[in-house]
Amino acid sequence: MAKFEVNFYSYTLDHGVDIEVTIPSFSSCDHKKDVKPTHKPEAKFPVLYLLHGHGNDYKCWTRYTGVERLAEEQRIALVTFNSENKAYNNVGDGERYYDFLNEELPSFVTGMFPISERPEDTYIAGLSMGGYGTLAHALTNPARYCAFGAMSPGVYSDRGCRFIDPAVELEKRIKEGVKLPKGYICCGKNDFLYDRVVRFVNVCQELGADFVWHPVDGYEHEWRYWDVEIANFLKWIPRTDYYADKPHKI
């Protein structure tokens, strides 16, 4: 992967923001006799927006999992950014993290990098707080995403939902007859959030949502589990892009 550490001024947040963009790129396995090497991609890449959890930062996904190698092999770009602990919602002036992820960030990365703008090439996934953010964004703006992955999502707080309620948004979209992105929801059975996630899954099933539910024995709220699930998610996502049937060796 070609990795870009980017800092730019966000007109939505009204301050500088750090993001990491990883793009599939030329590797040593691509050297072929009598073929001139090139860094020019054959087509724009599909993209996965990866959301971190509470207390994490934009580097955690690539630091604690094998997602970078997996994305290179499957030829999909990755985008991560800092949402602090704002749950990917708008929480006040200068902290419009919902608007940043929903509007400005996709505009920036598709404008600056060889990343597809097509909704059918766009995916979102996250863990814990990022799993909640994934549900909030995928269900309030379903036309933007082909599929989502909510891993150990922080749904149904005991204090009530201060922000977007994914269950409420899901019911609204289904009543509106809106086509929803395909969903992948997972959680370790020893996770302290497991019972809350099951409650949300039951709501999804009652409403007839199209999703996969993957509960797994032996895991808590931990990176060891999310490392396994990000691999499962990347294998599962529906793809129609140019690279879908062109795996890459590294």
Side-chain angles (χ1 to χ4, degrees):
M1 300 289 281
K3 180 180 290 188
F4 301 86
E5 301 284 347
V6 183
N7 176 273
F8 68 98
Y9 174 78
S10 165
Y11 51 75
T12 302
L13 300 174
D14 196 26
H15 59 70
V17 63
D18 293 317
I19 71 171
E20 185 172 86
V21 181
T22 48
I23 304 287
S25 59
F26 190 89
S27 79
S28 60
C29 294
D30 294 319
H31 276 295
K32 298 178 182 178
K33 187 177 180 180
D34 300 326
V35 176
K36 184 178 180 180
T38 179
H39 290 294
K40 185 177 181 179
E42 299 166 275
K44 290 187 175 182
F45 293 101
V47 59
L48 171 61
Y49 292 91
L50 275 174
L51 311 187
H52 65 75
H54 188 278
N56 292 163
D57 60 38
Y58 72 107
K59 291 180 177 289
C60 285
W61 269 110
T62 54
R63 182 184 299 137
Y64 295 134
T65 76
V67 67
E68 189 171 332
R69 174 184 58 82
L70 295 166
E72 176 68 63
E73 291 174 347
Q74 299 182 39
R75 291 191 168 186
I76 184 169
L78 305 174
V79 177
T80 65
F81 75 101
N82 273 340
S83 180
E84 301 180 26
N85 292 328
K86 310 302 183 184
Y88 305 92
N89 276 247
N90 292 344
V91 295
D93 292 341
E95 295 184 314
R96 293 162 50 206
Y97 284 98
Y98 179 91
D99 294 342
F100 177 74
L101 174 55
N102 190 51
E103 300 167 9
E104 186 178 2
L105 183 60
S107 176
F108 180 85
V109 298
T110 59
M112 293 286 185
F113 298 95
I115 289 177
S116 174
E117 298 179 63
R118 302 194 318 159
E120 54 265 47
D121 299 336
T122 305
Y123 309 90
I124 186 170
L127 60 90
S128 195
M129 181 186 77
Y132 158 79
T134 292
L135 293 170
H137 282 263
L139 298 177
T140 57
N141 194 7
R144 181 175 294 282
Y145 304 103
C146 176
F148 67 83
M151 304 176 192
S152 313
V155 290
Y156 293 113
S157 168
D158 292 337
R159 295 168 295 184
C161 188
R162 296 187 295 132
F163 303 127
I164 295 167
D165 188 326
V168 171
E169 296 303 321
L170 175 62
E171 185 172 11
K172 287 180 182 178
R173 300 296 88 75
I174 288 179
K175 286 182 178 179
E176 294 165 354
V178 174
K179 182 180 178 180
L180 295 170
K182 293 183 180 298
Y184 183 98
I185 305 173
C186 61
C187 192
K189 290 186 177 180
N190 294 336
D191 194 312
F192 72 95
L193 292 176
Y194 182 73
D195 289 343
R196 299 181 194 176
V197 176
V198 169
R199 286 173 56 196
F200 178 74
V201 166
N202 289 340
V203 170
C204 292
Q205 292 173 335
E206 291 169 4
L207 293 172
D210 181 11
F211 72 102
V212 170
W213 166 227
H214 192 216
V216 182
D217 289 320
Y219 289 101
E220 300 179 12
H221 206 71
E222 56 185 320
W223 281 104
R224 185 169 61 96
Y225 173 59
W226 301 318
D227 187 32
V228 172
E229 286 293 9
I230 192 61
N232 292 335
F233 176 71
L234 284 170
K235 290 178 182 177
W236 168 84
I237 57 174
R239 293 200 31 197
T240 57
D241 59 272
Y242 174 82
Y243 302 101
D245 59 351
K246 299 176 179 64
H248 190 207
K249 290 185 178 181
I250 55 173

